[in-house]
Amino acid sequence: MFEKILIANRGEIACRIIHTARRLGVRTVAVYSSADAGALHTRQADEAVWIGPSPSNQSYLNSAHIIAAALSTGAQAIHPGYGFLSENADFAQACADAGIVFIGPDVNAIRVMGSKREAKILMERYAVPLVPGYYGADQSEEQLTQAARNVGLPLIIKASAGGGGRGMRIVRDFAEFGSALASAQREAQSAFGDPAVLLERYVENPRHIEVQIFGDSHGNLVHLFERDCSLQRRHQKVIEEAPAVLLSDIQRKHLFTAALEAGRAVNYIGAGTVEFIIDQAGEVFFIEMNTRLQVEHPVTESVTGLDLVEWQLRVGAGELLPLGQDAIECRGHAIEVRVYAEDPSQDFKPSTGLLQHLRLPVPSPHVRVDTGVGSQDSVTPFYDAMIAKIITAGPTRVEALQQMTRALAETEIVGVTGNIAYLQKIVAHPAYQTGGFNTHFVEDVRGDLLPEPAPAPDVVLMLAAMRTVVGLAAQAKTEAARTAEPASPWAGLTGFRLNTPPRFEFHYGTGDVHIVVFLTQDRASWRYTSGSHTESIEACEVAGQVVRLTLPMRTIQGAVISTPREIHVFYAGDHYRLEPVDLLQSGEVAEEVAGKMVAPMPGAVTAVMVKVGEQVTRGKPLLVLEAMKIEHTISAPFDGIVTEIRFAVGEQVLAEGVELIKLEPSAPALDADSAS
Ligand code: ADP
Ligand code: ADP
Ligand code: MG
C-alpha cells in the first residue's frame, strides 16, 4: 500500500478520498487554489500545497503544478477524483513519466474511452449493443449531413470528447440540422478542445442504467451491479440509486455481460462505469464509459458494503481485487441526492456566497453525508456548486425513500440558495415513488416541482418572534450586567415596559403577504396574536439556533437563523424566509443595517479599523473593502459593540452580500416604548 498520496481535486470528493486514506493509514496531500485556501479538503489533509489562482485552468487543471506538488511532498500516487484531470490521458501519461502512480486505468483505456466515437468503434468489435448512429472519423459537413439522413429523426448530436451533459443537441427536423451541428461543434471545441461529434438515434424517454466495474493489474475484472441514474436535469444526474428499479433479471444479466465485455476490450484497471440507456421496449444500448470514480459511487458502496476508494488504492498499489465476483453481493437499496447551491426558481442559477448556516443530516447506518464544506465556508463561483451528497439506505426502496424524506427535512442551508425543496418535491412525487420515471421526468412534471413561496403558518411566526424576544432579553441582561446596574429595567424580560405588560409588534413579509404579529407577556407566559389567531405560549427554550415552544397541548420546535435581510425558519422539514420590518429601529436605521454591514460587491479587505468587543458610535469607519480599484468604507450604521469580524486584512470576499462585521446595537438604542 502507498504511504502517501496526493489528491488532485477539491470539495467533497477530495474529502471522501482523505477519509478512506486515513482509515488505511495512508498520508494525504491536498492541493488547493487561492479560493480554497481555507476549504475543508485543505484543512483535512495531512499536508496541503497551493497550486495556483482560483480559476481551475490555472490550478486544478494545471498538471505541471500538480505533479510538482506530488514530487516535492514525496507522494507516490495521485488520485484524480472525478471531473478536472480524472479522464485526461495526457495527465495520466505525465504522472507515469514523473514516476508517480496515476490511480486509474492505463493511458490507452482513458484515451479510447475519452472519445465517445472511438469507444463505439471498439465496442462494436466486441459486440456490445450500441445506439445506432454515425461515429466515423470523417467529420466533413457533407459526410455528417448524409449520415444524419441515414440515422433518421429524431437524432442527437454529441461532442465526442464531451462530459457533464454538455455539448449535445437534439434534432427533430432536418432543417435545423446544419445550425445544430455548427453550435454543437463550437461548444465541443470551446469546452473540450475537440470539435469532433457523433450522431445517435435519439431514444425517446429512455432510462439511464450504468454498471460499476472494477479491474486489477492481474487480469481480474468484476462488476459491482448497476445504478439507475435516470433522474436527470438537462442530461445531468440529480438522483441516483442502486439497484435499478423495474429491471428484469434478464436485462440485468445482459447489462453485466456487456459491461464486462467493454472493460475487457481495454484491459480495464481500477474503477470504471459503463453507461447504457434502455428504451421503452426494454432494449439496452451502450452510450459511453467513464474511466474514473463516479459521483454516485456511494450508492454502490451502500448496497455492496464495499469501499470503492479502498479498492482503487489497493489496485493502484498493484494488489489483487479484494473480492472475486461470487463474493460480491447486492443487498438492500440506496438512494443519493445531489445537494446544489442553485436556485430552482431562477432557472437553477448557481448561488454563491457564504454558508451562514449549514446543517446536514446526522449520519447513521441508514444515512451518509459526503460534503466538502461546512458552516461559514463559501460557495465560490469558480467550481461546481455542489454542497453535499446525501445517501440513504434501507432493506427496501420504500425504506430508503423514507430515510431520504427525513434526511432532507433535517437539512438546513442559509446564505446561499439550495435545491432542498426541489429535491423534496421529486422524492415525494408519486411517479418517482413508484419508480416509473425516465430521463424526462423532471421536465414532464415541471409544474409540480416549482417552488411556490408559501406564507408562513402561525407556528413559524411564533418561533421567529419568540426567538427575537429572547434575543432582546438576553441582550438587555448583558447590557445591564455590563453597566453594573442589575436593577436596570434591561435586566429581564419583564422590564421592557414598567407599567404595562411588555408587548411586541413584529411585521413580516412572507410569500407575497405582509403579516403583523403581536406578542404580549402574560405573567410567566406569552400571548401570540396574528389576525384572528390567538395562542398562549407557556414556555420558550432556546439552544443555539433551535427554539422550542410549549403550547397548551403540544410542543413545537424549529431552527431560527437571522441574516441581515431575512429570518430563516426551518420547521417540520420546510424552509420559510421572513423579511422582518424591524420596528425596534427607525426605518432609516433598519435600512442601513440591511444595506451596509454586508459587502456591496466581491473584493479584498484592505483595512480593519476595529476589534471585537469594541464599542463604536454611529458613523465610525469599521472596515475598508477594495473592489475594482475603488475603496468602499463600511461604517457603523448605529451605536453598538463589535461582536464579530469575519475577514482579516488581505482576505478576499467572494460574493456580494456576504456579512463582514457583526455589530450588536447598544441597549440604549432599543427604545422599549417604541416596541409596544
Ligand atoms: P458522473 O457521471 O460521475 O455523475 P458527471 O457527469 O455528473 O459525472 O460529472 C462529474 C463531475 O465532473 C461534475 O462536477 C462535472 O461538472 C465534472 N465533469 C464531467 N465531465 C467533465 C469534463 N469533461 N470536463 C470537466 N469537468 C467535467
Ligand atoms: P455525458 O458524457 O455528458 O455524460 P452521455 O453520453 O453519458 O454524456 O449522455 C448523458 C445523458 O444524455 C444520458 O444519461 C441520457 O439521459 C442522454 N442521452 C445520451 N444519449 C442519448 C440518446 N442517444 N438518446 C436519448 N438520450 C440520450
Ligand atoms: Mg455520461
Side-chain angles (χ1 to χ4, degrees):
M1 180 50 70
F2 305 113
E3 276 155 32
K4 195 193 256 191
I5 60 167
L6 179 141
I7 299 155
N9 217 296
R10 62 177 303 282
E12 68 85 18
I13 190 60
C15 295
R16 159 75 192 89
I17 296 162
I18 292 169
H19 181 84
T20 291
R22 178 156 298 162
R23 190 170 60 72
L24 299 177
V26 176
R27 295 182 56 79
T28 52
V29 181
V31 293
Y32 66 94
S33 68
S34 301
D36 282 340
L40 198 59
H41 79 278
T42 311
R43 307 200 296 266
Q44 281 185 350
D46 296 314
E47 288 169 71
V49 182
W50 180 80
I51 47 163
S54 307
S56 44
N57 58 3
Q58 294 173 55
S59 48
Y60 298 106
L61 289 172
N62 188 329
S63 11
H65 286 188
I66 291 170
I67 288 173
L71 291 173
S72 73
T73 53
Q76 298 151 305
I78 294 183
H79 194 307
Y82 57 71
F84 296 127
L85 296 170
S86 62
E87 293 177 280
N88 186 312
D90 293 340
F91 178 65
Q93 184 61 55
C95 289
D97 294 346
I100 298 165
V101 174
F102 173 83
I103 299 176
D106 70 38
V107 175
N108 177 57
I110 301 175
R111 215 180 284 284
V112 171
M113 292 300 185
S115 159
K116 294 191 201 307
R117 219 176 48 67
E118 284 175 44
K120 287 184 77 170
I121 294 171
L122 182 67
M123 291 304 106
E124 192 172 33
R125 291 220 312 265
Y126 281 76
V128 173
L130 306 175
V131 192
Y134 173 77
Y135 31 96
D138 184 347
Q139 294 282 312
S140 68
E141 201 185 326
E142 308 78 71
Q143 177 59 39
L144 288 167
T145 309
Q146 184 50 49
R149 298 264 168 209
N150 297 341
V151 174
L153 292 175
L155 65 83
I156 183 167
I157 309 175
K158 285 189 192 176
S160 180
R166 298 188 54 200
M168 300 191 202
R169 298 289 181 281
I170 297 159
V171 178
R172 294 189 179 277
D173 179 347
F174 279 120
E176 297 159 7
F177 182 76
S179 63
L181 176 65
S183 86
Q185 288 169 326
R186 266 197 310 275
E187 186 174 349
Q189 177 63 46
S190 73
F192 311 107
D194 175 4
V197 296
L198 68 161
L199 309 178
E200 278 177 7
R201 192 180 92 209
Y202 183 66
V203 178
E204 301 281 6
N205 300 317
R207 284 152 68 207
H208 172 119
I209 314 278
E210 58 187 34
V211 179
Q212 175 73 56
I213 63 166
F214 230 107
D216 66 19
S217 53
H218 308 275
N220 300 301
L221 185 74
V222 296
H223 72 78
L224 279 72
F225 303 94
E226 84 284 359
R227 294 183 286 256
D228 188 327
C229 307
S230 303
L231 213 124
Q232 308 182 345
R233 196 181 65 76
R234 292 204 188 139
H235 309 304
Q236 269 273 49
K237 298 157 189 169
V238 178
I239 303 185
E240 305 99 344
E241 57 187 289
V245 271
L246 312 179
L247 201 63
S248 72
D249 285 346
I250 293 173
Q251 282 173 314
R252 203 166 256 127
K253 244 207 189 104
H254 190 45
L255 284 165
F256 298 158
T257 307
L260 290 171
E261 206 53 33
R264 262 180 227 113
V266 287
N267 298 317
Y268 200 77
I269 297 173
T273 297
V274 188
E275 297 191 332
F276 300 89
I277 49 179
I278 299 192
D279 71 10
Q280 284 167 307
E283 205 175 332
V284 167
F285 304 101
F286 167 91
I287 50 172
E288 67 156 345
M289 176 167 183
N290 292 317
T291 54
R292 56 173 162 88
L293 190 67
Q294 206 96 358
V295 175
E296 56 275 20
H297 74 277
V299 294
T300 298
E301 296 187 320
S302 173
V303 295
T304 58
L306 303 171
D307 179 335
L308 297 199
V309 173
E310 174 180 348
W311 279 39
Q312 285 190 299
L313 297 183
R314 293 200 182 286
V315 165
E319 294 180 27
L320 287 165
L321 283 181
L323 295 176
Q325 189 69 68
D326 292 345
I328 303 168
E329 282 181 81
C330 173
R331 273 204 205 143
H333 203 98
I335 301 176
E336 170 182 284
V337 299
R338 301 188 185 191
V339 178
Y340 275 102
E342 64 185 14
D343 188 350
S345 69
Q346 286 191 49
D347 200 21
F348 298 88
K349 196 176 102 189
S351 170
T352 57
L354 182 76
L355 284 161
Q356 294 169 24
H357 170 78
L358 176 65
R359 179 177 176 240
L360 292 168
V362 181
S364 76
H366 304 290
V367 180
R368 164 174 168 181
V369 178
D370 282 16
T371 185
V373 289
S375 231
Q376 304 303 318
D377 282 343
S378 289
V379 178
T380 72
F382 302 108
Y383 320 107
D384 193 277
M386 195 198 282
I387 296 175
K389 303 188 301 207
I390 300 174
I391 304 98
T392 60
T396 62
R397 183 168 188 265
V398 169
E399 286 156 290
L401 272 171
Q402 272 170 3
Q403 292 286 350
M404 184 58 79
T405 304
R406 241 185 70 160
L408 286 170
E410 284 178 11
T411 307
E412 301 169 358
I413 303 170
V414 173
V416 300
T417 305
N419 63 343
I420 296 296
Y422 183 74
L423 293 171
Q424 284 175 313
K425 289 206 163 83
I426 298 175
V427 167
H429 201 284
Y432 174 71
Q433 298 229 334
T434 54
F437 55 88
N438 57 52
T439 58
H440 290 263
F441 177 79
V442 301
E443 258 320 294
D444 294 346
V445 302
R446 182 157 51 167
D448 302 341
L449 305 178
L450 281 185
E452 72 273 359
D458 285 297
V459 282
V460 166
L461 300 169
M462 277 180 217
L463 288 166
M466 283 305 296
R467 177 69 189 83
T468 304
V469 168
V470 170
L472 291 173
Q475 211 168 42
K477 259 193 188 132
T478 314
E479 182 60 19
R482 212 177 60 82
T483 56
E485 283 175 53
S488 135
W490 296 102
L493 264 182
T494 53
F496 283 95
R497 293 188 81 194
L498 295 175
N499 305 321
T500 46
R503 185 162 179 273
F504 290 88
E505 177 177 336
F506 298 101
H507 289 230
Y508 298 119
T510 159
D512 290 332
V513 295
H514 181 120
I515 295 182
V516 187
V517 164
F518 297 97
L519 278 180
T520 314
Q521 192 170 17
D522 184 5
R523 274 183 231 105
S525 63
W526 290 81
R527 198 171 70 250
Y528 164 93
T529 312
S530 179
S532 59
H533 187 95
T534 293
E535 196 150 347
S536 155
I537 299 168
E538 290 165 1
C540 170
E541 287 163 66
V542 176
Q545 278 111 358
V546 178
V547 179
R548 179 203 281 270
L549 303 179
T550 307
L551 307 181
M553 302 297 284
R554 60 196 171 127
T555 60
I556 57 168
Q557 182 175 310
V560 182
I561 294 98
S562 298
T563 68
R565 288 187 180 89
E566 292 172 316
I567 298 177
H568 296 256
V569 182
F570 294 90
Y571 173 72
D574 288 321
H575 180 180
Y576 299 90
R577 292 170 187 78
L578 307 178
E579 283 168 38
V581 181
D582 197 343
L583 298 182
L584 287 175
Q585 283 151 2
S586 72
E588 182 204 347
V589 173
E591 188 96 312
E592 290 196 349
V593 172
K596 295 207 171 156
M597 302 301 289
V598 299
M601 55 170 66
V605 173
T606 54
V608 177
M609 290 89 134
V610 287
K611 291 195 181 67
V612 169
E614 195 171 327
Q615 169 84 45
V616 297
T617 50
R618 179 178 171 161
K620 164 148 178 70
L622 306 175
L623 177 149
V624 178
L625 189 70
E626 195 188 297
M628 313 177 82
K629 303 214 162 69
I630 299 168
E631 285 201 339
H632 297 264
T633 302
I634 312 293
S635 307
F638 49 77
D639 295 354
I641 297 163
V642 178
T643 56
E644 201 180 334
I645 301 174
R646 297 203 148 140
F647 289 87
V649 171
E651 281 185 333
Q652 200 68 30
V653 181
L654 293 167
E656 176 196 326
V658 169
E659 196 174 8
L660 301 170
I661 282 194
K662 254 204 164 79
L663 199 60
E664 294 281 356
S666 308
L670 297 169
D671 185 344
D673 265 0
S674 71
S676 58

